[in-house]
Structure formats: C-alpha cells, structure tokens
Amino acid sequence: METTAGLTFRDATDADVDTLVALVESAYRGDDSRAGWTTEADILEGQRTDPEGVLAVIKSPDSRLLTVEREGQVVACCQLEHRGTYAYFGMFAVSPTLQGGGLGKVIIAEAERIAREAWGVTEMHMTVISMREDLIAWYERRGYRRTGRMTPFPYGDERFGLPQRDDLQFELLVKPLV
C-alpha cells in the first residue's frame, strides 16, 4: 500500500469487486457518467464491465488492479498488466464527481511508476475508442502518442456494451517509460 497526494494505492481484493464494478460503470455508462467528462453513454449502452471481468483481472498473475482510496473511500481504479517489455494500462475509472480536478493525472503517473519499478517495463500501452478525441488529447498531454494501429470493437459481445454506432474501433496509444 502506497500513499501519494492524499491517495492510498493498493491492489484490489475479491472484496472490492462490487465496488469496482459500480465505479467503472458510473464513470462510463448511464446518466451517472454524464457528471464527468469520460462518459461513453452517447456511443455505448449496457455494461462496461462485470464482476467476472473484474475478478479475472484481480486473479491474473500478470495483472494488478490498483484501487485508489481517499479518506477510506474508493475513488478510482486502473488495471496494469505485464506484457513482456511493456505494461498495458486499462480499466481506468475516476468517480465522475471527482473528474476534472487533477486526480487522473496523479493516478496515471503513479501507475506508470509502479509498472516501471515492479516489472522494469520501458513502455505503457493502452487502447482508446478512436473517436474519443477529448480523451485521446488528455492522454497525449500525459506523453502518450497515437500509433494509428486500430483493432475492431467486439461487436456482438454484450460484455463490452451495446454499441450505438457501427464505426467503433480502438486505437493503440503508447508512452515510453524512461
């Protein structure tokens, strides 16, 4: 457990699953997500994740699901997955009512530090829905670069939501960790 800027970072446990599912859903889907700027409610309905998906990340030997607390309350989370020379960053969620206050910057910087120190990786990778220009711009300000490498959205797999458009795809963003 590490403390940075009044935040406590720890690895998620089985007991955190329901809280983390609710956090991720609130940050991306439904009306609650509209309180923040990371909402996907206009392009995707349905779920963003489920208890099985969160538990799989917690149990994976190559992943860490960082849980971020402030004053004993879970306010954010992110997944780090060790993939050889790089780490994958995903499942990043900040409580919608706390978005826009600098919390995300602190969390992503700490996640990068943890990945670099724990695994010795030299890059962080992530995928973002390519049409999310505002979100991609935020990551670019943190040092991530667009690669132009696209992967298709998993249409037909309701575990990832119900697309409201037929042109969704993910773009790979990469940042050197030096």
Side-chain angles (χ1 to χ4, degrees):
M1 207 174 330
E2 303 185 37
T3 305
T4 303
L7 302 172
T8 301
F9 292 78
R10 64 175 176 78
D11 287 328
T13 67
D14 296 10
D16 295 312
V17 169
D18 291 341
T19 299
L20 294 174
V21 169
L23 171 67
V24 171
E25 294 298 312
S26 75
Y28 291 97
R29 301 290 162 78
D31 287 337
D32 287 349
S33 70
R34 295 181 195 282
W37 67 275
T38 60
T39 184
E40 296 172 343
D42 293 329
I43 58 174
L44 288 158
E45 292 181 356
Q47 70 178 32
R48 179 76 171 352
T49 192
D50 55 31
E52 295 76 21
V54 171
L55 192 58
V57 173
I58 291 171
K59 296 294 189 191
S60 171
D62 294 323
S63 283
R64 296 177 69 176
L65 185 49
L66 292 180
T67 301
V68 184
E69 295 179 341
R70 178 190 280 161
E71 298 174 1
Q73 296 294 313
V74 174
V75 296
C77 68
C78 64
Q79 172 192 9
L80 294 173
E81 184 176 328
H82 188 200
R83 296 184 179 175
T85 59
Y86 69 92
Y88 179 81
F89 179 82
M91 208 181 291
F92 187 28
V94 174
S95 176
T97 59
L98 299 176
Q99 292 177 16
L103 194 57
K105 293 176 195 174
V106 172
I107 293 166
I108 198 168
E110 181 66 3
E112 291 165 356
R113 184 194 69 77
I114 289 170
R116 192 174 46 248
E117 290 182 7
W119 297 320
V121 295
T122 57
E123 285 186 334
M124 186 79 86
H125 291 198
M126 71 173 72
T127 55
V128 178
I129 295 174
S130 63
M131 68 177 30
R132 298 291 316 279
E133 296 291 339
D134 54 344
L135 187 57
I136 291 171
W138 187 86
Y139 285 121
E140 287 178 316
R141 291 190 298 275
R142 313 276 90 67
Y144 288 82
R145 64 176 173 74
R146 298 181 86 154
T147 64
R149 290 175 41 200
M150 303 292 181
T151 54
F153 185 86
Y155 285 94
D157 189 340
E158 292 186 10
R159 292 177 303 158
F160 300 101
L162 303 170
Q164 301 304 294
R165 307 172 54 121
D166 62 4
D167 60 348
L168 299 181
Q169 58 185 346
F170 294 104
E171 182 170 0
L172 176 66
L173 305 183
V174 175
K175 178 180 179 178
L177 299 180
V178 289

